Amino acid sequence: MKKFIIIAGLLFFSTLTFSQDNSGKTVFNCPIRSMYKTSMLYGTQVHPLTDKEFFHNGTDIVAKLGAKVFPIADGIVIQKGFKQSDGNYIIIQHTDGYKSMYSHLSRFSCEIGDRVNIKQAIGKVGATGIATGPFLHLSVYKNDELVNPESLIDF
């Protein structure tokens, strides 16, 4: 199915790369294709460094340092940078109001404005920012509201 999106006044056409399962649930691709495990889930958690309860706005995926990170769906890189807590991060705009954020990367493999697809690595797993070891923190938004990644991706 072809969709179009407008970012910064530019019109882009893209193929919708996520699907719906038999129940009608939207399904995205897992961003890690090598061995991994989820370590901290979305929702209220106890922080491993401060031992205080907090709301965790995504899913943490432990993987080997340098493992390739792929977008959960085709899209356009709209932000890339460094934040004290998130380390190196990338934000991708997808169709249908979805955005995804990938944090704690060791390296970037894309630039702002790049069109990326699910077969193209966008970065590598790292331990930048506040981290206890190498992992990817994935946050997903629908119309700028947080969405539980575990409800969209079969980890």
Side-chain angles (χ1 to χ4, degrees):
M1 171 191 320
K2 289 284 187 186
K3 291 275 188 173
F4 70 91
I5 52 179
I6 299 173
I7 296 178
L10 300 172
L11 177 65
F12 293 96
F13 288 90
S14 70
T15 303
L16 196 60
T17 57
F18 50 89
S19 60
Q20 292 186 336
D21 65 12
N22 291 337
S23 69
K25 172 181 145 185
T26 300
V27 180
F28 288 93
N29 295 287
C30 183
I32 303 289
R33 311 270 167 82
S34 57
M35 298 222 8
Y36 70 88
K37 71 175 189 170
T38 55
S39 65
M40 185 176 288
L41 303 178
Y42 179 91
T44 303
Q45 305 286 333
V46 174
H47 196 281
L49 297 175
T50 65
D51 205 33
K52 293 182 180 176
E53 198 172 88
F54 77 110
F55 181 79
H56 191 239
N57 68 351
T59 301
D60 289 350
I61 307 165
V62 176
K64 184 178 176 183
L65 181 66
K68 291 180 180 180
V69 176
F70 297 86
I72 61 172
D74 291 359
I76 299 170
V77 178
I78 60 169
Q79 230 179 95
K80 170 183 145 178
F82 179 86
K83 292 182 183 177
Q84 180 106 16
S85 60
D86 293 317
N88 294 325
Y89 73 94
I90 294 169
I91 299 177
I92 297 175
Q93 176 73 56
H94 308 286
T95 56
D96 288 357
Y98 284 99
K99 288 182 192 171
S100 54
M101 180 175 177
Y102 310 80
S103 302
H104 305 288
L105 302 171
S106 63
R107 294 182 185 231
F108 298 114
S109 302
C110 60
E111 298 296 331
I112 294 172
D114 283 357
R115 292 215 252 171
V116 294
N117 65 63
I118 60 171
K119 296 178 182 178
Q120 171 186 356
I122 57 169
K124 294 190 175 186
V125 170
T128 60
I130 299 174
T132 58
F135 75 102
L136 172 70
H137 173 87
L138 172 68
S139 294
V140 178
Y141 301 84
K142 169 80 173 176
N143 300 323
D144 293 323
E145 297 289 326
L146 275 169
V147 178
N148 181 348
E150 295 123 52
S151 70
L152 303 169
I153 299 168
D154 186 16
F155 288 104

